[in-house]
Amino acid sequence: MSFLDRLGREWLFFDGGTGTILQENGLKAGELPEIWNLTHPEDIIALHQGYFEAGSDVVVTNTFGANALKYPDNLREIVEAAIAHAKEARRRAGREDAYVALDLGPTGKLLQPMGDLPFEKAVELFGEVVRIGASAGVDLVMIETMSDSYEAKAAVLAAKENCDLPVCITMIFDDKGKLLTGGTVDSTVALLEGLRVDALGVNCGLGPEQMVPIIRRLTEVCSLPIIVNPNAGLPRSEGGRTVFDVDADKFAALMAQIAEMGVHVLGGCCGTTPAHIRQMIAACADKPFQPPVRKHRAVVSSFSQAVEIGGRTVIIGERINPTGKSKFKAALREDNIEYILSEGLAQEDSGAHILDVNVGLPEIDEPVMMERVVTRLQSVLALPLQIDTSNMAAMERGMRLYNGKPMVNSVSGKRESMEAVFPLVRKYGGVVVGLALDEDGIPETAEGRVAIAKRIYETAAQYGIPREDIVIDGLAMTISSDSRSALVTLETLRRIRDELHGSTILGVSNISFGLPQREIINANFFTMALQNGLSCAIINPNAEAMMRAYRAFLALSAQDEQCAGFIAAYGNQPPAAMTQSAGQDSAMTLAECIERGLRERATEATAAALRETEPLALVNSELIPALDRVGKGFEAGTLFLPQLLMSAEAAKAAFEVVKDAMRGAPQEQKGKIILATVKGDIHDIGKNIVKVLLENYGYQVLDLGKDVAPEVIVDTAIEQQVRLVGLSALMTTTVVSMEDTIRLLREKKPDTKVVVGGAVLTKDYAESIGADRYARDAMATVHYADEVFA
């Protein structure tokens, strides 16, 4: 029976840890586990055989870190050997009913625009491994330990585009339920369900107990089979060995409780052994199995936010659109991306939930511009986006490069339109706007528009797109040419809500085209549409008349508990009415440019400020306070890693202008800090993030790179008289090198402090290996550096 025939219909059990067991068998600190496929084949076979004999239905290959970045010369040999060993283990265990999964782990790189790895390069790296694995005969692809939703998307697309095997994926959340880059369970589920993975879940980083809140939310929002592969508790160091605090008996008891929460696939990660898996299976196999239940949620997501359609009306900001906007057209022609970013930020401030993105002009390359605008917008704000274009190449480029599950505007009832758009929505995921028009044009009656809506629903279903992912545009046509057009539109909204139980959307301001004082008509029509069930409104959120209508409606319809939103907006004094975008025309201070992550505008603002302010005074009054506010927002969870990094880049640009102004003058440097990813570990995401922030706070960073031997770190610390060393590790198999480095530092340069960080570390573990401070994130490292150099 195939894996998919069983998935979601009965209990399935994965294997457990790989690297931790190989360490027990002699894998040295810093030694690459995948090399053992060639040098220690019997050890790898025995590892897999132990799990098959313990009862695992799925065993993953020893290819977690196998990609061309790490193995440019012998990747195929390593991957093929890994698969052959897993198959041989299955044969020896007599488990031909079990499955071999190709294991894909993260590249260790941060993707552009935050990092230096292009999205398509990541797809290529993963795709190469998938092709090798598929040709060697694996049964499924298992993507695991993903802490960045964008890299997860690259891996899923690589799997889907290079094989026809089942694709499963597990993410690594922290104890606050967040990915490294800020994603939540809701936003991640929306993305992965949209990409049509076969199962999803969580692994690594946490033990079973710590995972419970994450698992609970997964069961509430996920419609797919859920995988849970925890660590054997939390790590600590004993005698130079990494050990975990949950033994096989306790692990089995905890997993039995998790089995009752409505999950479908269970296994283990770091620290778990065949004994853990055997006892887990014994404790869970006879538990009642609850098949996945479709949640019927329409969710649009970004890398960190999820907006559900179907409850409170969603506001979609309309200002990133050249129609009728001469300044916006000029910005597109002049490649003035920062103008576009400022339009987006202004709408976010005014209360938009989603931003419409339309960059279509005949004289520009729309697919290229769509890619640039989508990726840059997602680097400075967290709102989900609506990809709005009639250019199919631009639509696909925007959807492919989008980090999340976008809204897509639009498809119509025309057969040609549906055949072009629906395959893209099926491949990349999305909530698609369905226009109630077809080859015969726009029906004059609500009945005709509802009939087209039904046809759109039916055709979408043929592509596997559920009804909840279709939002019908009832089409607001101007009353200046047909006095009854508003009534037809309102009836369409009402019937789609009441008869089809569907969601609706309108470009509200179209209703007043050609009339004077349009905002009067727009605001009143908006209220009428809300009363008739409008799910999504494309409006200008900077137009105060529209937002007043919206907030008043929420208060009056009992959707604003205790009128909290209304009071927050108008409790002190009414904000000044705005009928135009506040974007480019509003002057931003240097601090605001930094906080928003606007690099070019930060440069311009610095140059302007230096005409009136001394360089050091500007640094102390604007740059550092802005970075501090961004850092506090990051720590509080109101800002996320992409925004933190883009703010740091804006500050860096501002500092360069300040340095130029101070050329020749003595410049203050707080101190030297060494940063390094420890021996055996090529994952430098965390280190690179810390480097950017430390440099912005005035520290000289000696970046020794990745896979750095303890001796190199210690020798550099002695030679450069460095008072603080920062060490990073992502993999359990490499934290031993971190302990070796600390031990050597204590011996050779005991006055140097050590701060450590990484996904597999905890405060207790950091203390057990002798570190002076554990930093859970980049800002914590900055704070500790300030203490050391105070």
Side-chain angles (χ1 to χ4, degrees), residues 624 627 644-645 648-649 651-652 655 659 668-676 686-703 722 724-727 755 775 777-789:
I624 297 300
L627 281 172
L644 178 72
L645 290 180
E649 287 298 320
K652 184 177 180 181
F655 273 119
K659 288 178 182 178
E668 180 185 0
Q669 196 84 48
K670 290 183 179 179
K672 293 180 185 178
I673 300 174
I674 287 175
L675 292 182
K687 172 183 66 65
N688 292 343
I689 294 167
V690 172
K691 177 183 177 181
V692 170
L693 292 184
L694 285 172
E695 288 179 338
N696 273 285
Y697 275 86
Y699 292 100
Q700 179 184 354
V701 176
L702 306 177
D703 184 358
V722 173
L724 178 60
V725 170
L727 302 177
V755 56
D777 56 44
M779 282 307 302
T781 306
V782 173
H783 294 326
Y784 184 59
D786 288 342
E787 289 181 27
V788 172
F789 291 94

Side-chain angles (χ1 to χ4, degrees), residues 524-783:
N524 283 279
F525 175 68
F526 185 24
T527 301
M528 296 170 73
L530 291 169
Q531 185 64 39
N532 282 275
L534 181 64
S535 307
C536 304
I538 304 176
I539 66 170
N540 176 10
N542 302 323
E544 188 56 31
M546 300 298 282
M547 296 307 291
R548 283 175 179 161
Y550 176 67
R551 293 181 179 118
F553 176 81
L554 294 180
L556 291 166
S557 59
Q559 297 183 67
D560 182 7
E561 189 173 350
Q562 298 180 327
C563 301
F566 188 87
I567 293 170
Y570 307 118
N572 295 325
Q573 61 181 25
M578 293 186 295
T579 58
Q580 297 183 8
S581 168
Q584 185 75 4
D585 294 329
S586 297
M588 279 188 181
T589 66
L590 171 57
E592 289 172 331
C593 293
I594 291 171
E595 290 177 55
R596 294 300 201 176
L598 300 177
R599 182 185 177 92
E600 289 83 359
R601 292 185 71 175
T603 301
E604 295 168 1
T606 304
L610 285 171
R611 290 195 286 269
E612 300 179 357
T613 308
E614 290 296 318
L616 285 178
L618 186 65
V619 169
N620 292 326
S621 65
E622 294 270 355
L623 273 73
I624 297 300
L627 281 172
D628 286 341
R629 286 191 290 273
V630 171
K632 289 176 182 176
F634 176 71
E635 291 172 331
T638 58
L639 290 176
F640 303 102
L641 185 60
Q643 294 141 302
L644 178 72
L645 290 180
M646 296 312 294
S647 294
E649 287 298 320
K652 184 177 180 181
F655 273 119
E656 289 302 317
V657 178
V658 171
K659 288 178 182 178
D660 286 342
M662 295 174 63
R663 198 171 299 281
Q667 297 184 27
E668 180 185 0
Q669 196 84 48
K670 290 183 179 179
K672 293 180 185 178
I673 300 174
I674 287 175
L675 292 182
T677 301
V678 298
K679 183 173 177 57
D681 204 319
I682 68 161
H683 300 83
D684 58 1
I685 292 175
K687 172 183 66 65
N688 292 343
I689 294 167
V690 172
K691 177 183 177 181
V692 170
L693 292 184
L694 285 172
E695 288 179 338
N696 273 285
Y697 275 86
Y699 292 100
Q700 179 184 354
V701 176
L702 306 177
D703 184 358
L704 302 185
K706 57 196 177 186
D707 189 18
V708 184
E711 294 79 11
V712 173
I713 297 169
V714 174
D715 289 347
T716 305
I718 295 171
E719 179 184 335
Q720 297 289 329
Q721 285 301 298
V722 173
R723 292 168 54 192
L724 178 60
V725 170
L727 302 177
S728 173
L730 177 72
M731 302 166 63
T732 306
T733 54
T734 60
V735 290
V736 178
S737 296
M738 186 178 283
E739 185 173 6
D740 291 342
T741 303
I742 295 171
R743 187 182 302 113
L744 193 58
L745 270 170
R746 295 289 181 253
E747 177 185 333
K748 302 287 188 180
K749 197 173 185 302
D751 60 327
T752 294
K753 301 293 186 182
V754 181
V755 56
V756 299
V760 296
L761 296 178
T762 64
K763 184 175 181 293
D764 290 342
Y765 189 93
E767 291 175 353
S768 73
I769 62 175
D772 295 290
R773 182 66 60 89
Y774 162 67
R776 61 170 295 134
D777 56 44
M779 282 307 302
T781 306
V782 173
H783 294 326

Side-chain angles (χ1 to χ4, degrees), residues 154-166:
V156 171
L157 287 178
K160 294 277 188 178
E161 292 173 351
N162 289 281
C163 74
D164 57 2
L165 298 170

Side-chain angles (χ1 to χ4, degrees), residues 327-343 359 369 372-373 376 584 598 600-601 604:
K327 289 185 178 180
F328 194 92
K329 290 179 180 178
L332 290 174
R333 295 188 188 102
E334 297 164 7
D335 200 27
N336 185 355
I337 300 298
E338 293 236 339
Y339 177 94
I340 300 171
L341 300 184
S342 66
E343 288 285 357
V359 295
M369 183 59 74
R372 290 199 63 201
V373 171
R376 285 295 304 278
Q584 185 75 4
L598 300 177
E600 289 83 359
R601 292 185 71 175
E604 295 168 1

Side-chain angles (χ1 to χ4, degrees), residues 3-15:
F3 175 76
L4 286 182
D5 287 336
R6 299 174 63 187
L7 180 65
R9 295 178 174 86
E10 61 179 273
W11 287 114
L12 288 174
F13 299 101
F14 268 76
D15 57 3

Side-chain angles (χ1 to χ4, degrees), residues 209-220:
E209 287 181 283
Q210 294 81 20
M211 278 188 180
V212 166
I214 299 165
I215 297 166
R216 183 176 297 115
R217 187 58 186 165
L218 276 169
T219 61
E220 291 168 351

Side-chain angles (χ1 to χ4, degrees), residues 231-299:
N231 289 347
L234 301 177
R236 67 181 187 275
S237 179
E238 286 186 0
R241 295 171 54 249
T242 299
V243 298
F244 290 79
D245 63 5
V246 174
D247 62 20
D249 289 335
K250 185 176 181 182
F251 186 82
L254 292 169
M255 294 301 282
Q257 296 173 22
I258 288 172
E260 296 174 351
M261 296 176 65
V263 302
H264 312 96
V265 184
L266 298 171
C269 200
C270 300
T272 56
T273 66
H276 285 79
I277 300 304
R278 182 181 294 106
Q279 292 185 225
M280 176 192 74
I281 294 171
C284 299
D286 293 330
K287 294 278 185 184
F289 183 80
Q290 306 171 47
V293 176
R294 183 149 199 92
K295 304 304 188 296
H296 300 289
R297 301 172 74 242
V299 179

Side-chain angles (χ1 to χ4, degrees), residues 486-505:
L487 297 177
V488 173
T489 298
L490 294 172
E491 183 184 350
T492 302
L493 298 181
R494 197 163 52 248
R495 291 185 62 177
I496 289 172
R497 178 192 64 186
D498 297 341
E499 297 175 15
L500 304 185
H501 308 293
S503 299
T504 54
I505 187 171

